[in-house]
Amino acid sequence: MKVLVAIKRVVDANVKIRVKSDHSDVDLANVKMAINPFCEIAVEEAIRLKEKGVASEVIAVSVGDDRCQEQLRTALALGADRALQVKTDVAVEPLGVAKLLNAIAVKEGCDLVVLGKQSIDSDNNQTGQMLAAIGNMSQGTFASEVVCEEGQISVTREVDGGLQKLALQLPAVVTTDLRLNEPRFASLPNIMKAKRKPLAVLTPDELSVDVTPRLCTLSVVSPSEREAGVIVSNVAELVEKLKTEAGVL
Ligand code: AMP
């Protein structure tokens, strides 16, 4: 079974975000970038499937400009067999990414596509679900456990009331939750080896997908600063403040 893993280049989770002064977007100048954390979990899960002999090949794919090759090389160093960049300078929206992933899954004959449940930059949580709909594939979102046996995948999902277990027929889309696994670190020899692994570049046109944006961002603003707290001396004072200052009682 060939496994396709989608990885997105995003601002590193430890970076404090700055907004551009014209409020057009987040300022990415000199900011450390990384693989989206949920995508790292997706890469790890795909590699574990290969190590168990379930996956025959793991293909990492990223949609973006040439800078996303850095994250693809990291995925190769972690254990992916080869990488595909869908080259575009457009910030492709989830529907466009889903269409591109579907075209690649069909072209490559992939039975399983593993994605992060969410990009931490845009917080969409849409691409996996759209891909499953477009490709008419089964879907297991927010997976906290994935077991593959005999042409079927069992996915455990963390839902509000507890755990839900689904049996998915292939082809399938799985999106990863935080507790699915703990991603490994790339070793230095594997980082060196990754430089020689194949990385092919495609364009949306070659995949016959139109990625023209449909949405327009009107403005981006930082969250308002939290005001300093006050220590009250007794419950009566707290209730008074909740009534008169906070206006919540
Ligand atoms: P989102 O729907 O934007 O929250 O993204 C969910 C998942 O879709 C991510 O964790 C990735 O696995 C995948 N994805 C989104 N955007 C891209 C992209 N530009 N390139 C590759 N994969 C992506």
Side-chain angles (χ1 to χ4, degrees):
M1 172 172 78
K2 275 193 193 179
V3 179
L4 189 66
V5 192
I7 61 170
K8 187 176 184 189
R9 174 184 165 92
V10 297
V11 174
D12 187 282
N14 301 308
V15 167
K16 191 168 178 332
I17 299 295
R18 289 187 317 262
V19 170
K20 285 184 180 171
S21 54
D22 63 0
H23 298 290
S24 59
D25 205 347
V26 165
D27 189 355
L28 296 183
N30 303 317
V31 168
K32 184 168 183 262
M33 305 295 282
I35 297 186
N36 181 47
F38 292 108
C39 304
E40 264 188 316
I41 297 172
V43 173
E44 176 66 33
E45 200 59 25
I47 296 163
R48 289 187 189 189
L49 290 177
K50 179 139 191 240
E51 287 169 346
K52 285 184 196 143
V54 176
S56 54
E57 189 179 31
V58 174
I59 308 166
V61 56
S62 192
V63 178
D65 62 25
D66 285 345
R67 292 171 296 179
C68 74
Q69 290 193 8
E70 188 191 340
Q71 281 62 45
L72 287 171
R73 287 286 169 209
T74 307
L76 293 170
L78 290 169
D81 296 295
R82 59 190 171 94
L84 294 173
Q85 176 199 1
V86 183
K87 187 177 164 122
T88 170
D89 292 330
V90 173
V92 183
E93 292 164 0
L95 182 60
V97 176
K99 287 179 182 170
L100 292 167
L101 293 176
N102 182 53
I104 294 171
V106 170
K107 186 168 178 270
E108 293 282 351
C110 296
D111 278 327
L112 177 64
V113 188
V114 192
L115 302 91
K117 73 166 179 183
Q118 190 168 344
S119 320
I120 62 162
D121 55 356
S122 45
D123 270 349
N124 297 314
N125 180 6
Q126 294 173 0
T127 311
Q129 294 87 328
M130 287 177 170
L131 169 61
I134 292 167
N136 198 19
M137 296 187 247
S138 348
Q139 64 169 322
T141 51
F142 315 143
S144 61
E145 193 184 357
V146 174
V147 179
C148 293
E149 42 200 26
E150 291 158 19
Q152 188 171 287
I153 300 188
S154 138
V155 171
T156 305
R157 310 178 62 233
E158 292 186 5
V159 292
D160 273 355
L163 297 177
Q164 182 191 48
K165 215 167 186 174
L166 300 177
L168 308 182
Q169 298 295 327
L170 296 174
V173 172
V174 169
T175 72
T176 61
D177 212 335
L178 208 58
R179 277 172 288 275
L180 177 59
N181 61 48
E182 205 169 303
R184 68 194 69 188
F185 291 101
S187 67
L188 191 58
N190 284 345
I191 293 173
M192 301 312 289
K193 268 190 227 157
K195 294 185 181 170
R196 292 190 302 275
K197 288 189 178 177
L199 191 163
V201 181
L202 293 165
T203 61
D205 281 351
E206 283 168 329
L207 296 165
S208 309
V209 175
D210 177 10
V211 292
T212 312
R214 297 165 176 227
L215 302 175
C216 166
T217 302
L218 299 180
S219 91
V220 177
V221 290
S222 307
S224 48
E225 293 280 323
R226 267 188 78 175
E227 287 178 22
V230 283
I231 296 175
V232 291
S233 46
N234 54 44
V235 174
E237 193 187 338
L238 172 66
V239 172
E240 184 58 25
K241 280 190 181 295
L242 289 175
K243 271 188 194 157
T244 55
E245 290 178 24
V248 292
L249 288 182

